[in-house]
C-alpha cells in the first residue's frame, strides 16, 4: 500500500453516468488484484459541497509494465483501470480530471477474490456498478488460461436496462482495456431488469436458470459484486445450493486502511467486520446481509 | 515517504519538544485517538516514529464490538462517526497491541474509556500491573507513556459522557486515577457543555497533568431518501475542519483557565490550523480526521510549523502560545 | 428572478403552510435574523414576498453600533461573525424600517435582543404601543407578525447570552414577555449549552409559542501572521454548512422535548438540508449564511422541498416531521 | 444589481499572480462605474479548502455593447473586466475558469468614484492590486475627454518592484482592453518600492514630489485605491493639503449588499460604515484609517 500522485491517462464516459478511469501505476508497487480497491482524492470539488474524504473505487483492470499494446501512449509504466459511476460530489469531481492531471491515490487496498480451485468453475456475477471487479476477475482468469490449465468461468452481468450497458455502440473509448472489456461483455450472460436485453430478471434469477442447464462437471464457485440486495440473494442462493461464494461488499469509508472501524458490516458470527481491511471480498456467509440492508 | 523528508529537515536549532508532566514528546504533533488504531494500519503510509505522540484507540476493560452500521457519514468539511469504542479490551490490548507499540519511538498515550469510575480505574491498574510485571526490556520503549482519559465520547450510552459534563465527577475521577499511575494523566474534554473551562478546572483540581481539547461535537445527518438517520445510532460525533473554530475557541478558553498544558485538536488539516491552536494556548496538537483525507498530514503540519517558526524567529515551540497579541 | 419561478410552480395540491401560534406562514422557508437586514438590501435579488417569513436583524431598545472591525472570517464551510447586534434601536426601527416591512406579503418576525429582562420587555412594549397607535391600515399588513427572542447571541457581553444558558431565567423571561403581546413568541436558543432540551422545556413552560434552533456556535480563528484573532472581538458565532449537523441534532432533541413547533436553522444551503431539519422535527426552517453565497437559496430550497414532497407523496409540509423512521 | 451566470471570455495571467478576467455583461443591466465591484462564486474549489463565500472584485474596465473593436469575438454583449491577484483558495479557484465556462456574478455593487469637477485635476493613485479601479477611472476620464471639455488627470501607480508591473513584455494578453491599459500605464507616473523602475518610494511620496512641481492651475482631486496603509497616508496627505480625496476601501465581506453589517470600517464621525453599501468609495476623511489598520 502506498500514497502517490497518479497521472490520469483516461477519464471518459462509457455509458450514461459511467466513466472509465485509467492512471499510471508506480513501479515497485505490487499489482492490484481483482476485488482490491484504491481510494482517491480529486484535486477540486464543486464549491458548496464541502467534500473532503477520499472515495473508494475498485480496480477494473490492470496492465503490467511490459505490455505492448497499451491503453495509453502517454506512459510506459503499468496502468490501473477503474469503472465508476458519477453519483455525488466526489465522483463528479473525479470526472472533471482531464488526462494529464494528477489524482492522489492510496493503493492497493483490501483483499481480492481468491482464485477458483482447478476443479471449480467460476460463476462471476456483477450487478450495475459492481461490473468493475468482476470484469477484472474474468480478465485475470482468461489470461491465466494460457498458463495453468484453463480456468472455466461464466460471466453473468445484470443491468437495469439495455441502454445502461456500458461500452456499446456510441462509446468512444477504444483503448485496449475497453476492447478487452467489450470482448468479455460479448461473452457474458446478460440480464436486464426490464427485459430490454438478454434475460429478463435479476442476476440471481439468471443463476437459477443457468444452474438448471449447466452441463459442466465442475463445482460452481460464485463471485459477486453489486448492490447489497443482490449480494444478499446471492449469498442465500449459494447457501441453498451449498456453493462456495465470495462477495465484494461496500460500506462508507473514512480511513480505508482498517484504522477507524467505520466501514463495518455485521458478521454472521456476531460482531462486525471492516469492509476495507477484512474485505471488501468476504466469503458470502461471513456477512449478515439481511441485517446489513436495514 | 513524507515522514522521511521531515527527518531530513534540519531543525536542530529549534526546540520542538513538549513536556506533559514528566513526559517529553519530541515534537508537538500527535495522531488522535480512534483515528489511528494502535498504529498498525497506517504503518505503510505514515512514518510513525517521527510523530510527537500516538494516542491509541480507546481501551476499555471488556472488549466492545461497537455500534451498529452504518457508523460514518460525511458532512460539509466534517465527518460524523459513531464507532462506539469498538476495541479488543484491555487484556487483548496488552497481549496483541502493546508489543508493537513498545517498538515505536514516539510517545504512546493510551486512550482509556469506561462506563464507571471503577472501569476506568481497572483499565489503568491492569496496564500498570502488566508493565510492572514485564519490567523494562532492552532496546524497547515502555509502550505506555501516559493515559488520555476519554470522558467525552458522545457515541456510547455509558461511555463516560456523563462524566464529561459534570465538574464534580471529573474531579473525583481524575483524583482516583491519578492515585493509580505515575504516568501523565491527560483528561480529554467534550465541547458539548455550557462551560468547558469549568470542566478543565475540575480536572486540574483533581490532579490532571494535561487537558486534551476537544473531542467530537454532537451532530446528526438524516438520509432524506431512506427517511432515517444516516448513521445507525442517530446522532454521532462531528469532527474535521468544520469544527476547527470550535476547538480553537475551546482551547483559548481552557488554556486561560488552567495552568497545566493543553493539547489542542479538532479539525487540524494544515500547519496553519495547528499554529492557530498553539497560538490559542495549546502546547501540542493532535490530528484525527484529516489523516483519512491525507495520511501525510502530521508530517506536513510539522514541517509547516518548523517553517513558520523560522519565519517568525521562534526558537521553542512551547513559546508560541505566548505570542498571541 | 428565481422567486417568480417558484410562484409559477403549481403547488396548489400541496399544503405548504406552517402554523406558529395564531400565525400562518404560507410556506416553511424563512430568512434568518441578521443575514437579511430588514429586507431592504436584498430586495433586488430575492423575491421577498415568496418567502415564508422574514426574521429581521435584532432590534434593541437603544441603537447599537456593534462590535469593532473586522467582524467576519470565513472558516471551512462556515463563517464566524461578531456583528454585535448593530441596529438602529427600536425607535428608528419603527420609523424607518417598519413602513417597508408592512408592504411585505410574507410573515415578518421581529428579532428582539437585550441585556436585561426589562430591555427585552421595553422593546416589545414599544412596538406593541406603536402598532396599537397606528392601527390597521388598508392594503397594508401589520408588519410585525411575531417576535423571535434572541437569548443566544454570543457576540455581546450582555446580549442575552446569560439568559440562553439558564432555564430558570429563560422561563421567567418568556413568561414576562408573553404577558406583553398577543403575537406569537419564538424563543431562539443557543447550541452552546450542555442540554438544549432543558432550555427548550423552560421556554415552553414560560409560554413560548415556538423554538428557533439554533443560533451560532462559539468559534474562533487566529490570524497566524498577524498573531491575533481574525475578528476583533476574539471569539464569534460560527454559522453555515459546517454547523448543519449540530443544528439537526439539536432540532431532533428539542422537538422531542417540547410540544410547541420548532423552527430549524443552521447551515441550510440546499433543499436536502432543509428536509433533514423537517424530518428531525422542525415545522419550518430559516436560511442565513447560505444567502451570502447564493441569494436564490430560499427559493431553490422551497422548490426542492416541493419536489421532494411530490416524490414522496406527502401532502402537507407539517407531516414531514412524522416521517422519520 | 442582479445575480447572473456570466460567460467567461478572458482569464489569463498579466503579471506574476495577477490575472485579467473578462466576462459577458447582461443586457439591460446598468453599466458598472469605476470604483464599483461585483462578487463572484467560482464553480469548483480545491478539495480541503471549504471555501463557500463569494469574493468581491472591483471592475477594471467595461466595454459597452455597441463597441466595435472588442476584447472577445465570443460575444456581442457588453463586457466587464477585472484585474485580480491570486491570493487564496477563492482567487485560485477563479483562476481555474477557462473561457467558455460560467461564473456566478452579482453586480454592479457599491458606489463608484464621483467624477472630478471641471475645475479639478484628477490625481489617480493606485497601489498594487488597487490598480483595477484606478485604471477604470482613468479610462473613463480619458473617454470623457471627447464629450465634455477635457478632464485633466494624472495616473500615479505604485508597485513593489518593476517585475510586478503587469502587462509588460511577456504578457500574451493583446485584447483591446489590455491595449488600453498598456497605454494608460505608459502615461502613468510609476513608482517602485525598490526603485527598480520609475520613482523610488511610495505613491504618496511621489504625490508630494509631483505637487511641488505641478504647473496646473486646477485644484487637485485625489482618487486612491490600494492597501490600507497607502490609503491612510493618502488621507493624511489630502488633509494636510486640503485636497478633496476619495478612496476605495476593502474589508472582508459576507453578503456584499449591505445586509449583514460585516464589512465595516470605523468612521471618523463615530460608529461604522459598511464598505459594500456605504462604500467601497468613501471620502477620505470619512474613515478612521489609523484605527482600521489596527
Ligand atoms: C470497496 C469499495 C469499492 C467501490 N468500488 C466502486 C467502483 O468500482 N465504482 C463505483 O462507481 N463505485 C464504487 N464504490 C462506491 C463509491 O465509493 C461511491 O459511489 C462514491 O464514494 C460516492 O461518492 P460521491 O461523492 O460521488 O457520492 P456521495 O454523495 O458520497 O454518495 C452518493 C450516493 O452513494 C452512496 N454512497 C456513498 N458512498 C458509498 C459507499 N461507500 N458505499 C455505498 N454507498 C455509498 C450515498 O449514500 C449516496 O446515495 C465502491 C465502494 C467501496 C466501499
Ligand atoms: C470592494 C472590494 C474590491 C476588491 N477588488 C479587488 C480587485 O479588483 N482585485 C483583487 O485582486 N482583489 C480585490 N479585492 C480583494 C479580494 O476580494 C480578495 O483578495 C479575495 O477575496 C481573496 O480571496 P481568496 O480566497 O483568494 O483568499 P483568502 O484566503 O480569502 O485571503 C487571502 C488573503 O487576503 C486577505 N483578504 C481576504 N479577503 C480580503 C478582503 N476583502 N479585504 C482585504 N483582505 C482580504 C486575507 O486576510 C488573506 O491574507 C477586493 C476586495 C473588496 C472588498
Ligand atoms: C472515527 C473516529 C473515532 C474516534 N474514536 C475516539 C476514541 O476512541 N477515543 C477518543 O478519545 N476520541 C475518539 N475520537 C475523537 C478524536 O480523537 C478527536 O477528538 C476528534 O475527532 C476531533 O479531532 P479531528 O477533527 O482532528 O478528528 C474519534 C474520532 C473519529 C473520527
Ligand atoms: C452575520 C450574521 C448576523 C446575525 N445576527 C443575528 C441577530 O441579530 N439575531 C439573531 O437571533 N441571530 C443572528 N444571527 C444568527 C442567524 O440568525 C442564525 O441563527 C445562524 O447564522 C445559523 O444559521 P445559518 O447557518 O443558516 O446562518 C446572525 C448570523 C450571521 C451570520
Ligand atoms: S474505513 Fe476505516 S476501518 Fe475501514
Ligand atoms: S458584506 Fe454584508 S454588509 Fe457589507
Amino acid at each position: 500500500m502506498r500514497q502517490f500522485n497518479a497521472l490520469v491517462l483516461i477519464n471518459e464516459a462509457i455509458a450514461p453516468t459511467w466513466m472509465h478511469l485509467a492512471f499510471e501505476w508506480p513501479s515497485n508497487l505490487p499489482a492490484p488484484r481483482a476485488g482490491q480497491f484504491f481510494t482517491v482524492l480529486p484535486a477540486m470539488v464543486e464549491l458548496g459541497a464541502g467534500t473532503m474524504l477520499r472515495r473508494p473505487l475498485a480496480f477494473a483492470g490492470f496492465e503490467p509494465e511490459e505490455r505492448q499494446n497499451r491503453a495509453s501512449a502517454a506512459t510506459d509504466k503499468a496502468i490501473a483501470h477503474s469503472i465508476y459511476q458519477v453519483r455525488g460530489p466526489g465522483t463528479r469531481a473525479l470526472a472533471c480530471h482531464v488526462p494529464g492531471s494528477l489524482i492522489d491515490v492510496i493503493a492497493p487496498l483490501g483483499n481480492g477474490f481468491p482464485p477458483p480451485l482447478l476443479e471449480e468453475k467460476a460463476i462471476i456475477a456483477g450487478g450495475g456498478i459492481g461490473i468493475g471487479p468482476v470484469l477484472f476477475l474474468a480478465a485475470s482468469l482468461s489470461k491465466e488460461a494460457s498458463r495453468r490449465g484453463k480456468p472455466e468461468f461464466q460471466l453473468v452481468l445484470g443491468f437495469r436496462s439495455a441502454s445502461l450497458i456500458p461500452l456499446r455502440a456510441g462509446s468512444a473509448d477504444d483503448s485496449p482495456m475497453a476492447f478487452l472489456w467489450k470482448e468479455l461483455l460479448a461473452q457474458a450472460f446478460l440480464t436486464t431488469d426490464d427485459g430490454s436485453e438478454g434475460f429478463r430478471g435479476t442476476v440471481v434469477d439468471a443463476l437459477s436458470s443457468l444452474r438448471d442447464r449447466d452441463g459442466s462437471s465442475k463445482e460452481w464457485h460464485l463471485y459477486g459484486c453489486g448492490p447489497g440486495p443482490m449480494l444478499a440473494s446471492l449469498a442465500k442462493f449459494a447457501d441453498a445450493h451449498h456453493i462456495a461464494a465470495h462477495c465484494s461488499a461496500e460500506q462508507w469509508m473514512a480511513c480505508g486502511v482498517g484504522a477507524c472501524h467505520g466501514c463495518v458490516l455485521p458478521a454472521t458470527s456476531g460482531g462486525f467486520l471492516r469492509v476495507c481491511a477484512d474485505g471488501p471480498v468476504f466469503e458470502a456467509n461471513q456477512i449478515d446481509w439481511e441485517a446489513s440492508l436495514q | 515517504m513524507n515522514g522521511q523528508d521531515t527527518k531530513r529537515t534540519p531543525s536542530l536549532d529549534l526546540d520542538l519538544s513538549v513536556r506533559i508532566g514528566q513526559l517529553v514528546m519530541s515534537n508537538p504533533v500527535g495522531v488522535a485517538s480512534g483515528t489511528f488504531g494502535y498504529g498498525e494500519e497506517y504503518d505503510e503510509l505514515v512514518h510513525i516514529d517521527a510523530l510527537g505522540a500516538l494516542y491509541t484507540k480507546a481501551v476499555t476493560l471488556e472488549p466492545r464490538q461497537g455500534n451498529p452500521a452504518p457508523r460514518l457519514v460525511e458532512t460539509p468539511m466534517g465527518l460524523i462517526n459513531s464507532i462506539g469504542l469498538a476495541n479488543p479490551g484491555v487484556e487483548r490490548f496488552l497481549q496483541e497491541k502493546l508489543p508493537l507499540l513498545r517498538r515505536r519511538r514516539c510517545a504512546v498515550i493510551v486512550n482509556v474509556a469506561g462506563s464507571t469510575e471503577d472501569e476506568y480505574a481497572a483499565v489503568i491498574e491492569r496496564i500498570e500491573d502488566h508493565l510492572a510485571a514485564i519490567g523494562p526490556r532492552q532496546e524497547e520503549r515502555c509502550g505506555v507513556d501516559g493515559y488520555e482519559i476519554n470522558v467525552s465520547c458522545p457515541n456510547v450510552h455509558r461511555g463516560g459522557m456523563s462524566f464529561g459534563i459534570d465538574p464534580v465527577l471529573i474531579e473525583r475521577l481524575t483524583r482516583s486515577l491519578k492515585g493509580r499511575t505515575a504516568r501523565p494523566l491527560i483528561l480529554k474534554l467534550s465541547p458539548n457543555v455550557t462551560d468547558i473551562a469549568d470542566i478543565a478546572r475540575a480536572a486540574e483540581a483533581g490532579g490532571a497533568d494535561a487537558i486534551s481539547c476537544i473531542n467530537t461535537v454532537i451532530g446528526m445527518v438524516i438520509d432524506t431518501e431512506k427517511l432515517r438517520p444516516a448513521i445507525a445510532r442517530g446522532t454521532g460525533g462531528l469532527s474535521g475542519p468544520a469544527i476547527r473554530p470550535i476547538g480553537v475557541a475551546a482551547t483559548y478558553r481552557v488554556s486561560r483557565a488552567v495552568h497545566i498544558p493543553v493539547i489542542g485538536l479538532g479539525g487540524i488539516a494544515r500547519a496553519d490550523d495547528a499554529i492557530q491552536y498553539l497560538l490559542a494556548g495549546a502546547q501540542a496538537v493532535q490530528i484525527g480526521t484529516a489523516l483519512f483525507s491525507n495520511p501525510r498530514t502530521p508530517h506536513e503540519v510539522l514541517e509547516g510549523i518548523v517553517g513558520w517558526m523560522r519565519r517568525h524567529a521562534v526558537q521553542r515551540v512551547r513559546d508560541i502560545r505566548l505570542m498571541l497579541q
Side-chain angles (χ1 to χ4, degrees), chain A, chain B:
Chain A
M1 145 189 0
R2 199 192 295 171
Q3 181 180 8
F4 55 95
N5 280 320
L7 183 71
V8 173
L9 301 168
I10 300 175
N11 197 18
E12 58 181 82
I14 54 169
T17 80
W18 286 20
M19 305 282 290
H20 168 200
L21 171 73
F23 57 88
E24 212 178 66
W25 189 257
S27 320
N28 308 325
L29 190 62
R33 287 167 40 225
Q36 285 191 299
F37 68 101
F38 61 100
T39 59
V40 59
L41 207 60
M44 312 268 293
V45 294
E46 58 208 53
L47 188 142
T51 297
M52 64 170 191
L53 291 177
R54 312 180 73 83
R55 294 295 192 260
L57 294 177
F59 291 102
F62 186 74
E63 296 175 71
E65 223 161 294
E66 67 270 17
R67 214 182 126 121
Q68 289 304 307
N69 181 16
R70 306 178 62 75
S72 167
T75 183
D76 52 9
K77 294 243 181 79
I79 303 175
H81 296 265
S82 182
I83 295 175
Y84 67 95
Q85 188 178 13
V86 177
R87 293 215 273 182
T91 48
R92 274 201 297 275
L94 185 58
C96 292
H97 271 273
V98 294
S101 62
L102 296 174
I103 48 178
D104 176 344
V105 169
I106 298 181
L109 298 171
N111 303 300
F113 290 108
L117 304 174
L118 270 179
E119 61 275 20
E120 285 177 341
K121 173 177 181 178
I123 307 293
I124 308 174
I129 199 61
I131 194 173
V134 301
L135 286 177
F136 192 5
L137 178 61
S140 309
L141 293 181
S142 68
K143 247 182 284 171
E144 261 190 49
S146 40
R147 300 195 203 140
R148 56 151 212 182
K150 192 174 174 56
E152 215 183 313
F153 72 87
Q154 172 68 56
L155 196 54
V156 184
L157 297 175
F159 299 92
R160 272 191 292 129
S161 185
S163 65
L164 299 173
I165 302 177
L167 293 158
R168 285 297 172 86
S171 158
D173 190 343
D174 56 1
S175 65
M177 184 52 74
F179 186 76
L180 176 59
W181 287 336
K182 281 178 202 167
E183 280 187 351
L184 290 168
L185 274 162
Q187 296 167 22
F189 186 92
L190 294 182
T191 78
T192 51
D193 293 352
D194 63 1
S196 52
E197 180 157 343
F199 180 93
R200 180 199 204 102
T202 70
V203 166
V204 183
D205 296 340
L207 289 185
S208 306
S209 134
L210 280 173
R211 183 146 181 95
D212 292 342
R213 23 186 194 116
D214 184 43
S216 160
S217 59
K218 292 190 169 182
E219 283 290 325
W220 275 24
H221 188 151
L222 274 181
Y223 294 91
C225 184
M230 171 189 147
L231 301 183
S233 55
L234 209 66
K236 215 183 247 170
F237 178 88
D239 188 49
H241 295 81
H242 307 287
I243 304 172
H246 283 87
C247 288
S248 177
E250 287 192 12
Q251 179 59 285
W252 291 356
M253 292 187 176
C255 71
V257 300
C260 76
H261 288 252
C263 63
V264 298
L265 290 175
T268 40
S269 60
F272 298 94
L273 289 165
R274 296 164 302 178
V275 170
C276 70
D278 303 318
V281 172
F282 295 99
E283 284 182 53
N285 59 15
Q286 275 184 287
I287 302 294
D288 184 345
W289 299 103
E290 293 303 329
S292 82
L293 292 178
Q294 268 156 22
Chain B
M1 207 189 308
N2 212 58
Q4 268 129 26
D5 294 347
T6 312
K7 265 177 102 180
R8 264 181 259 120
T9 311
S11 43
L12 293 176
D13 53 323
L14 300 182
D15 181 355
L16 298 176
S17 68
V18 170
R19 224 170 282 264
I20 305 290
Q22 301 293 346
L23 173 65
V24 178
M25 297 174 176
S26 64
N27 72 65
V29 182
V31 286
S33 175
T35 63
F36 208 76
Y38 302 95
E40 297 159 12
E41 294 85 358
Y42 270 115
D43 216 358
E44 293 177 50
L45 298 174
V46 178
H47 183 39
I48 298 177
D49 287 347
L51 295 172
L54 185 168
Y55 299 76
T56 71
K57 172 82 196 147
V59 175
T60 55
L61 189 57
E62 304 296 335
R64 297 205 193 180
Q65 295 182 335
N67 289 337
R71 295 177 171 179
L72 297 174
V73 62
E74 200 180 15
T75 73
M77 290 306 279
L79 170 69
I80 293 184
N81 87 80
S82 173
I83 310 297
L85 301 180
N87 85 96
V90 67
E91 284 311 325
R92 276 176 58 206
F93 165 76
L94 292 170
Q95 300 313 318
E96 295 168 17
K97 307 296 180 187
L98 188 61
L100 195 66
L101 288 173
R102 293 174 69 110
R103 270 180 251 135
R104 303 296 182 197
R105 285 162 181 279
C106 63
V108 174
I109 309 292
V110 175
N111 185 277
V112 177
S115 311
T116 62
E117 196 177 300
D118 288 348
E119 256 180 70
Y120 283 96
V123 173
I124 290 183
E125 270 174 0
R126 186 66 197 90
I127 294 175
E128 289 295 335
D129 289 350
H130 180 87
L131 293 176
I134 60 177
R137 287 199 205 146
Q138 266 190 330
E139 293 194 9
E140 267 192 351
R141 301 184 78 259
C142 148
V144 182
D145 297 300
Y147 299 99
E148 185 180 55
I149 310 304
N150 177 0
V151 286
S152 48
C153 179
N155 291 330
V156 281
H157 273 310
R158 306 180 308 153
M161 191 58 185
S162 50
F163 290 109
I165 61 175
D166 184 337
V168 177
L169 291 181
I170 286 281
E171 183 174 342
R172 208 178 68 185
L173 175 70
T174 310
R175 184 162 291 128
S176 148
L177 301 182
K178 190 66 191 161
R180 289 163 218 265
T181 177
R183 285 169 237 277
L185 207 61
I186 305 166
L187 270 279
K188 181 164 176 183
L189 303 192
S190 167
N192 304 297
V193 294
T194 305
D195 187 0
I196 194 171
D198 253 12
I199 316 283
R201 275 186 291 260
E204 183 178 40
D209 296 289
I211 302 287
S212 285
C213 167
I214 58 175
N215 210 313
T216 54
V217 181
I218 294 171
M220 183 176 201
V221 169
I222 291 175
D223 186 322
T224 58
E225 290 306 314
K226 297 187 180 148
L227 305 178
R228 60 175 189 231
I231 54 172
R233 278 285 302 268
T235 58
L238 179 64
S239 64
I243 69 164
R244 188 199 68 214
I246 303 174
V248 171
T251 299
Y252 181 81
R253 264 190 73 71
V254 167
S255 60
R256 273 149 195 77
V258 298
H259 301 96
I260 50 178
V262 176
I263 301 163
L265 75 160
I268 298 176
R270 300 166 313 172
D272 188 74
D273 305 335
I275 299 163
Q276 289 193 42
Y277 274 96
L278 297 174
L279 286 167
Q283 305 246 15
V285 295
Q286 297 177 33
I287 289 160
T289 302
L291 283 165
F292 303 154
S293 303
N294 178 13
R296 291 184 187 134
T297 306
H299 303 300
E300 290 176 4
V301 164
L302 183 58
E303 272 172 53
I305 292 174
V306 166
W308 184 92
M309 287 173 69
R310 290 198 199 290
R311 271 190 295 117
H312 288 262
V314 194
Q315 284 285 315
R316 300 185 307 180
V317 79
R318 58 181 171 280
D319 291 343
I320 297 177
R321 75 200 168 87
L322 308 172
M323 292 171 68
L324 191 70
Q325 287 167 10

